[in-house]
Amino acid sequence: MPQGKARAALFALALGGFGIGTTEFATMGLLPEIAGDLDVSIPVAGHAITAYALGVVVGAPTLAALGARMDRRRLLLWLMVAFTVANVASAFAPSAPTLVVARFLAGLPHGAFFGVGAVMGTAVVGQARRGHAVASMMAGLTIACAVGVPLTAIVGHAVGWRWAFAGVGVIGLATLAAVRAWTPPLAPLEGATVRTELAALKNRRLWIAFAGGAIGFGGMFAVYSYVKPLLTDVTGVSVDLVPVVLALYGIGMTVGTVIGGRLADRSVMRTVIIGMVSTILVLVAIALVGPFPLPAVVALVLLGVSSQILGLSLQTRLMDVSPAAPSLGAALCHSALNLGNASGAFLGGLVIEGGYGYLAPAWVGAALTALGLLVFLTIGRGPATATVAAPERERVTAAA
């Protein structure tokens, strides 16, 4: 595919990543507003975070498998339609239980969009640059943390949290237009069916990578799920400055995406280990320096860097160990990461409810990531069975 068209296709995918990243992380910055409006506690409002994450866990493999025989671009469009509708429903949720249901539905297309998008991105730039393709799409998610999430925090504090989710619906509509206009038709793998996609689930290395990622990535979410009360109640940051800190965190994620993409193109497994070790160190640092504003903010920015190096390398690893079903492998990465999201938010909420304070989740997070690292170091370091199938490149070139 010509370079200009490839860039446009990657931009369309990144725009979808921007919308998904905004809605995924916006709830963390809006918990006090949601809790106050719906008359529940902050940990109970945090169930909306867990519900979204569980939606990703369920939806990623299910929708990727059900769409196995569908043109990749058409599947991306349908996933974004579902995403847009569910976010608008979140904006109009009248109660906490209704919001939980809406957030679950909003999470369903998340992983499948990134999974199918990763295959589309790899097809338009070539297998040798798959790390770059994944990084380009994930850049939309990290930019969301630098721009979209702080904006939703400002909007939520000023005029209400519902407007933030309505804004995500607008981003969804823009993504629909961009994907339709700029991504090429891309046929699925020859002979792909629901059965062949699900057959990939018998792959032992796939499940080892899934388990290690699900456990290890929970560490970041144990802290980030409660970042606003951590900053205001422990660190002493003014509520007006919280969006600035969230923007800095997003910049850290963007830096981590660039670094992770380059490292993953050299050695995926080495990058996974680097990401986990650095995340453990940063989480311990947050637990120790949380009460001190400058060191705490620096540590949160570094958490954005390390967690994104880890997330990007995990997605590439899952694609590599699932060559017969790359869309499913990439989608399962987001199931793993959001299972970590759900468990991290839940366990972080438990220690907060237990009276241990907002620094306790950092210790919980460090333990989770250390356990995930142990999985990879003991049973998860074997070579991938093969690389992602090359015919994807040929079909998209012909289609373009």
Side-chain angles (χ1 to χ4, degrees), residues 160-292:
W161 61 272
R162 299 178 186 277
W163 288 99
F165 290 119
V168 173
V170 174
I171 297 172
L173 291 174
T175 302
L176 278 169
V179 170
R180 191 176 188 280
W182 296 329
T183 60
L186 176 61
L189 283 171
E190 185 177 349
T193 64
V194 174
R195 181 176 295 180
T196 59
E197 288 279 317
L198 294 179
L201 298 180
K202 298 178 181 178
N203 185 339
R204 176 176 174 269
R205 285 198 175 99
L206 179 66
W207 286 113
I208 292 173
F210 179 91
I215 297 168
F217 211 72
M220 185 275 282
F221 281 108
V223 170
Y224 193 76
S225 295
Y226 304 97
V227 66
K228 189 168 186 177
L230 168 65
L231 288 170
T232 56
D233 295 1
V234 177
T235 309
V237 173
S238 166
V239 68
D240 295 329
L241 291 178
V242 170
V244 177
V245 178
L246 295 178
L248 292 173
Y249 179 88
I251 291 171
M253 290 185 72
T254 304
V255 172
T257 298
V258 174
I259 296 172
R262 293 177 179 176
L263 292 176
D265 279 340
R266 297 177 183 176
S267 173
V268 174
M269 273 307 305
R270 188 190 311 152
T271 308
V272 170
I273 294 170
I274 289 172
M276 286 198 167
V277 170
S278 59
T279 298
I280 293 168
L281 295 175
V282 173
L283 287 168
V284 171
I286 290 172
L288 296 175
V289 305
F292 309 102

Side-chain angles (χ1 to χ4, degrees), residues 13-379:
L13 298 172
L15 183 59
F18 178 79
I20 291 173
T22 299
T23 200
E24 178 181 16
F25 291 98
T27 311
M28 288 80 158
L30 295 171
L31 277 185
E33 287 79 11
I34 293 172
D37 183 46
L38 300 179
D39 196 25
V40 294
S41 69
I42 286 179
V44 170
H47 293 169
I49 299 172
T50 302
Y52 182 92
L54 292 176
V56 181
V57 173
V58 172
T62 303
L63 297 180
L66 290 176
R69 302 184 65 180
M70 188 180 294
D71 178 271
R72 305 291 87 183
R73 180 173 68 174
R74 183 177 300 173
L75 180 54
L76 287 171
L77 290 171
W78 279 113
L79 291 169
M80 192 48 57
V81 167
F83 171 84
T84 302
V85 171
N87 275 281
V88 173
S90 299
F92 287 96
S95 64
T98 309
L99 178 63
V100 166
V101 172
R103 297 315 294 156
F104 176 82
L105 295 175
L108 289 175
H110 173 132
F113 184 90
F114 275 113
V116 177
V119 173
M120 173 69 79
T122 299
V124 299
V125 302
Q127 168 63 20
R129 301 187 70 203
R130 68 193 187 286
H132 169 74
V134 174
S136 296
M137 186 174 61
M138 295 294 284
L141 187 149
T142 61
I143 293 171
C145 290
V147 179
V149 175
L151 283 178
T152 60
I154 293 171
V155 170
H157 185 63
V159 298
W161 61 272
R162 299 178 186 277
W163 288 99
F165 290 119
V168 173
V170 174
I171 297 172
L173 291 174
T175 302
L176 278 169
V179 170
R180 191 176 188 280
W182 296 329
T183 60
L186 176 61
L189 283 171
E190 185 177 349
T193 64
V194 174
R195 181 176 295 180
T196 59
E197 288 279 317
L198 294 179
L201 298 180
K202 298 178 181 178
N203 185 339
R204 176 176 174 269
R205 285 198 175 99
L206 179 66
W207 286 113
I208 292 173
F210 179 91
I215 297 168
F217 211 72
M220 185 275 282
F221 281 108
V223 170
Y224 193 76
S225 295
Y226 304 97
V227 66
K228 189 168 186 177
L230 168 65
L231 288 170
T232 56
D233 295 1
V234 177
T235 309
V237 173
S238 166
V239 68
D240 295 329
L241 291 178
V242 170
V244 177
V245 178
L246 295 178
L248 292 173
Y249 179 88
I251 291 171
M253 290 185 72
T254 304
V255 172
T257 298
V258 174
I259 296 172
R262 293 177 179 176
L263 292 176
D265 279 340
R266 297 177 183 176
S267 173
V268 174
M269 273 307 305
R270 188 190 311 152
T271 308
V272 170
I273 294 170
I274 289 172
M276 286 198 167
V277 170
S278 59
T279 298
I280 293 168
L281 295 175
V282 173
L283 287 168
V284 171
I286 290 172
L288 296 175
V289 305
F292 309 102
L294 182 58
V297 171
V298 171
L300 282 171
V301 173
L302 292 176
L303 181 62
V305 177
S306 65
S307 64
Q308 200 59 24
I309 291 173
L310 175 57
L312 187 145
S313 58
L314 285 172
Q315 176 155 333
T316 308
R317 174 66 176 177
L318 279 158
M319 291 175 68
D320 285 353
V321 298
S322 183
S327 295
L328 180 62
L332 275 174
C333 176
H334 292 273
S335 286
L337 301 188
N338 279 272
L339 188 57
N341 183 341
S343 62
F346 177 75
L347 293 174
L350 277 185
V351 294
I352 293 170
E353 287 275 36
Y356 294 98
Y358 287 107
L359 287 178
W363 293 111
V364 172
L368 283 172
T369 305
L371 186 57
L373 175 62
L374 183 63
V375 170
F376 277 105
L377 291 179
T378 55
I379 59 175

